[in-house]
Amino acid sequence: MISDDTRVQFYKDMVRIRTYEAALQRDYHADKTPQWDIGAGLIPGEMHLAAGQEPVAVGLCANLEQDDAITGPHRPHHLALAKGVDMKAMTAEIFGRVTGLCHGKGGHMHLFDPANHFSCSGIIAQGMPVAVGQAFAFNRKGTDNVAVAVAGEGAANQGAFHEALNLAAMWKLPVIFIIEDNDWAISVARDTATPIKDGSLRAAAYGMPSARIEGNDVEAIYEACKIAVDRARAGGGPTMLEIHTVRLWGHFEGDAQAYRGDELQEATERDPIPAYEKRLRAAGLLDDEAVAAIQAEAQAEVEAAIAFAKESPEPKPSDAYLHVFA
Amino acid sequence: MTATIDASTRRVTTAKAISEAIAQEMRTDPNVFVMGEDVGPYGGIFGSTGGLFDEFGATRIIDTPISETGFIGAGIGAAVEGMRPVVELMFVDFFGVCFDQIYNHMAKIHYESGGNVKVPMVLMMAVGGGYSDAAQHSQCLWASFAHMPGMKVVAPSNPYDAKGLMISAIRDDNPVIFMFHKGVMGLPWMAKNPRSIGPVPEEEYTVPIGKAAVAHEGSDVTVVSISMSVQHCLDVAEELEGDVSVEVLDLRSLVPLDREAILASVAKTGRLVIVDEDYKSFGMSGEVIATIADHDPSMLKAPVQRVCYPDVPVPYARVLEYEVLPTRDKIKAAIAKVMG
Ligand SMILES: Cc1ncc(C[n+]2csc(CCOP(=O)(O)OP(=O)(O)O)c2C)c(N)n1
């Protein structure tokens, strides 16, 4: 049984993430006018937002400790925030400021926060073997920490995914492989990229327990991740979970999504946050006032992080030459 | 088979020039097909396959899973059986996940087989930065391919060359790495130099692979470059007209490298600047300098100047990235320095 407090916390955490992504989306586009230019504005470069995928991050991270690790993909903000990465430092990084997590070197696809054992990579599936190595280190050091590798369903067609699963299974390491199946890899539909309808079946090839979680329901995701995390902490080895979620927005900002057709409208109707809010209202856990307060609190935190980023200084040009070697 | 350009020639983007070249070859040769990520209805993330899906359909314009080792290897297999695949690796930066197929197989099969097996395949990919896509999505890396024998490496700087080089690449019996800089594609969603849109004849024509082009004639200094940086060099050459006579040599391919063109130009000017968006060390600039040194170092009246990417990964923040990118100002400063 998930407690009422926890359920409300899940809702708050999801609203916090969505509020963050919406504010980034707003600011990302704000100064790319009149001629939209990907390299212009306070937030330049590619921008992959995770609206719709909040239940995965929140349900997963509710099971994790600060010293557990996550390697995330190119779409990392929801995971970073749920894992406890400082919102201000992360935002400053996305704005390319010297106060950022990586002093403006990394950008939104390359967030590194060693204090929370969080990292991500823009190269598809390539964070997955790294999580195996973090789990290896936890094992050798005798801690009960776990490492989680998160990637999209498209990434599961990459060799690194399979190699990582095999290693983790062979060495019985405390790894949880999370596949966020949002039906799309940019414009390539999931079902045109693999003949397997249930990607979790692949884990069987490595003798690894697995499950596919339908419904994009934060509670079901939490419960499934709990089983996997508990097993890993107890020395029971890795688990793979494929979680069916939804990509509400474009692959990256600026994606016109013509390839989605009617599916886009259908996806919008699968927005997990209003759905969860409805459930919690029906259970008497939320009302108009509570929802308004939660949204206001999230908005205030997000705007403060953005203000911090905007007020922070840019790096010095000569900083470009620092950090090539330790 | 060259084509003539006059005032009536229509002007198109480099992206359009590339997709048109592929379409024209596909119409005449049923063995040509395209595969890669998002090359179908999306038309390629950088527009290299725009419109092809509508004309040729899913059997010849094939969207692949994110399995570069798998589909690049499959391209090799199809090529050795006589097809002419045009395979797209979305960004050059991703070569790390599939390089074995590229350098141990695609590039070596012809040699290893004693010339018995040909691999007539084009592997095209986006390169380059300047728009804050950071360390894993902004590199050029052409020298990494050029370093290893067995693949031709081309990188056009303008729409006309892109079309002619793509047709040559598809017809070539060797594997050809075709690198298009995002900045030269003429994309509607990225700031661009007007040179990314230019006259392109509608008929088919070829640009030979391995021949550099004198993009701007001059007599005081030779500026050797490739791809996007050529556009910056041309801007500088035009700006300095009447002051310094700059010869801009667009290499157009690194393999084969047109050493004669380099020697001929430096013989005329005696001064050399190299502009390269790829990493400085062990790369194109060193090879160009070696071409002179091997031949006759006394050709040079002044030490060579290199405007290259310093040996640091690509940083994200714009101030950092522009500190290390080749820019017009740096090219001008280098020219001033060799002029003494
Ligand atoms: C090795 C590699 N190949 C291709 C890409 C380009 N790319 C970036 S995101 C993406 C789609 C990823 O799909 P998925 O793994 O399902 O994650 P999603 O974007 O849906 O979250 C692709 C093909 C890449 N970054 N790395």
Side-chain angles (χ1 to χ4, degrees), chain B residues 268-288:
Chain B
K268 178 167 70 171
T269 63
R271 294 185 180 86
L272 176 61
V273 172
I274 303 154
V275 183
D276 186 9
E277 198 185 317
D278 196 1
Y279 300 121
K280 178 174 181 176
S281 297
F282 311 101
M284 175 183 117
S285 57
E287 194 58 37
V288 170

Side-chain angles (χ1 to χ4, degrees), chain A residues 74-75 122 124 152-155 182 184-186 251, chain B residues 37 66 68 94:
Chain A
H74 56 288
R75 194 183 303 289
I124 297 302
E153 90 294 337
N182 62 12
W184 292 97
I186 314 185
H251 169 76
Chain B
E37 292 153 19
I66 312 171
E68 288 87 358
F94 308 159

